[in-house]
Amino acid sequence: MSKKEIVYLLSDSVGETAEFVVKAVATQFIRREFEIRQNSYVDKVSDIEDVIVEAKQTNSIIAYTLVIDFLKDYLNRRANEEKILAVDLLHPLMDAFITKFNREPIREPGLMRKLDEHYFQKVEAVEFAVKYDDARDIEGILKADIVLIGVSRTSKTPLSMYLAYKGYKVANIPLVPEVPAPHELFNVPRNRCVGLVITPDKLNAIRKERLKTLGLKPEASYARFERILEELDYAEKVMKQVGCPVINVSNKAIEETANYIIESLNMERSF
């Protein structure tokens, strides 16, 4: 029998969990080197049998993270028959969860990777929202899952960030009478663009408060009522031209507006 010390890793997914645990244990054995042989996406007994045959010829351990019962049972039986040490890295803790919390696992491989992918999707969406905030880069209009348009202080940026946290790539475009709306906006499918409007009184109050925090006088053109009416009128014309749904955000929380947008988007996708 070969004296080489080998740990065979078997997983019905990528096998990162098994590798991490085994390496963490191996580091506790100073001046010893263990060869780790990874076997990912094990989904049939022949995959297990190949490892059993090889492990019989070596000084080895099998460590596994199999959540599918028939594969786990087959491995345990064959390892016992061949007197190979096989270590289940997941099920002692899984059994503890079942006993203590009275819940049954769904036993689906690869869920951890799916969770990781969802996390990185969120990160990517947040980076997208920052990059394409306030029309900094017009290219974002055609790349976005959702495009928000509206005059200044209609919650476009906080709404973009909230939707990004939900995993949606969002670009937002301010509508200003003196600046023509980018032509890319009119090429966006209407169900991916949302117009945000607000009552003149509410917008006037928000802008005055904004000027105050900036140390500016509330009489500035930015908060002047006539100017606000002009901007809202222009924004309404653009939104009609785009043909997008319009939401009045006057008395809505960010979460409420975001949920409405997500529901509308999902409804359109279902057809």
Side-chain angles (χ1 to χ4, degrees), residues 41-145:
Y41 300 109
V42 173
D43 61 0
K44 51 187 181 292
V45 295
S46 59
D47 296 333
I48 294 173
E49 197 59 39
D50 290 342
V51 175
I52 292 288
V53 171
E54 191 174 336
K56 279 180 62 177
Q57 312 302 319
T58 60
N59 184 26
S60 62
I61 294 172
I62 296 176
Y64 64 91
T65 54
L66 300 174
V67 298
I68 301 174
D69 278 339
F70 85 89
L71 292 176
K72 182 173 80 74
D73 293 343
Y74 181 84
L75 173 56
N76 285 334
R77 179 173 62 80
R78 290 291 292 122
N80 185 58
E81 290 172 353
E82 301 297 341
K83 296 180 171 53
I84 300 167
L85 180 58
V87 181
D88 187 340
L89 300 178
L90 292 183
H91 282 264
L93 184 57
M94 192 176 289
D95 288 342
F97 270 60
I98 294 169
T99 302
K100 187 65 179 178
F101 303 129
N102 195 28
R103 300 278 183 87
E104 282 297 320
I106 60 176
R107 304 187 189 282
E108 181 182 335
L111 289 181
M112 189 67 182
R113 175 157 288 272
K114 289 179 182 177
L115 289 173
D116 287 345
E117 287 172 357
H118 185 55
Y119 169 77
F120 287 115
Q121 182 184 359
K122 284 184 180 181
V123 172
E124 186 181 358
V126 170
E127 291 175 346
F128 186 96
V130 172
K131 181 176 181 179
Y132 298 112
D133 180 48
D134 211 26
R136 288 178 188 167
D137 189 339
I138 300 302
E139 287 186 7
I141 294 176
L142 297 178
K143 297 177 182 177
D145 297 319

Side-chain angles (χ1 to χ4, degrees), residues 225-260:
F225 207 78
E226 293 78 9
R227 170 63 182 180
I228 286 173
L229 291 175
E230 180 186 358
E231 289 186 33
L232 290 173
D233 182 60
Y234 171 73
E236 185 181 351
K237 289 176 181 175
V238 173
M239 291 171 194
K240 283 182 178 178
Q241 195 174 351
V242 173
C244 62
V246 176
I247 302 174
N248 190 320
V249 300
S250 302
N251 298 303
K252 287 185 174 64
I254 295 296
E255 297 85 354
E256 186 181 358
T257 305
N259 289 336
Y260 178 84

Side-chain angles (χ1 to χ4, degrees), residues 136-237:
R136 288 178 188 167
D137 189 339
I138 300 302
E139 287 186 7
I141 294 176
L142 297 178
K143 297 177 182 177
D145 297 319
I146 302 168
V147 179
L148 302 177
I149 59 175
V151 301
S152 175
R153 313 313 294 177
T154 49
S155 302
K156 294 187 302 300
T157 296
L159 187 53
S160 294
M161 298 307 298
Y162 185 90
L163 288 166
Y165 181 74
K166 296 288 187 179
Y168 295 93
K169 293 180 179 178
V170 185
N172 73 75
I173 309 296
L175 298 178
V176 184
E178 293 77 19
V179 181
H183 66 85
E184 290 88 350
L185 181 60
F186 302 100
N187 294 324
V188 175
R190 62 176 301 279
N191 62 302
R192 279 174 38 205
C193 184
V194 177
L196 305 177
V197 297
I198 190 171
T199 62
D201 289 342
K202 183 78 171 178
L203 185 56
N204 179 250
I206 291 172
R207 288 190 174 183
K208 281 183 176 179
E209 191 61 32
R210 174 63 175 164
L211 289 172
K212 191 187 298 183
T213 60
L214 294 174
L216 301 173
K217 294 181 179 180
E219 296 80 18
S221 174
Y222 179 68
R224 195 161 43 85
F225 207 78
E226 293 78 9
R227 170 63 182 180
I228 286 173
L229 291 175
E230 180 186 358
E231 289 186 33
L232 290 173
D233 182 60
Y234 171 73
E236 185 181 351
K237 289 176 181 175

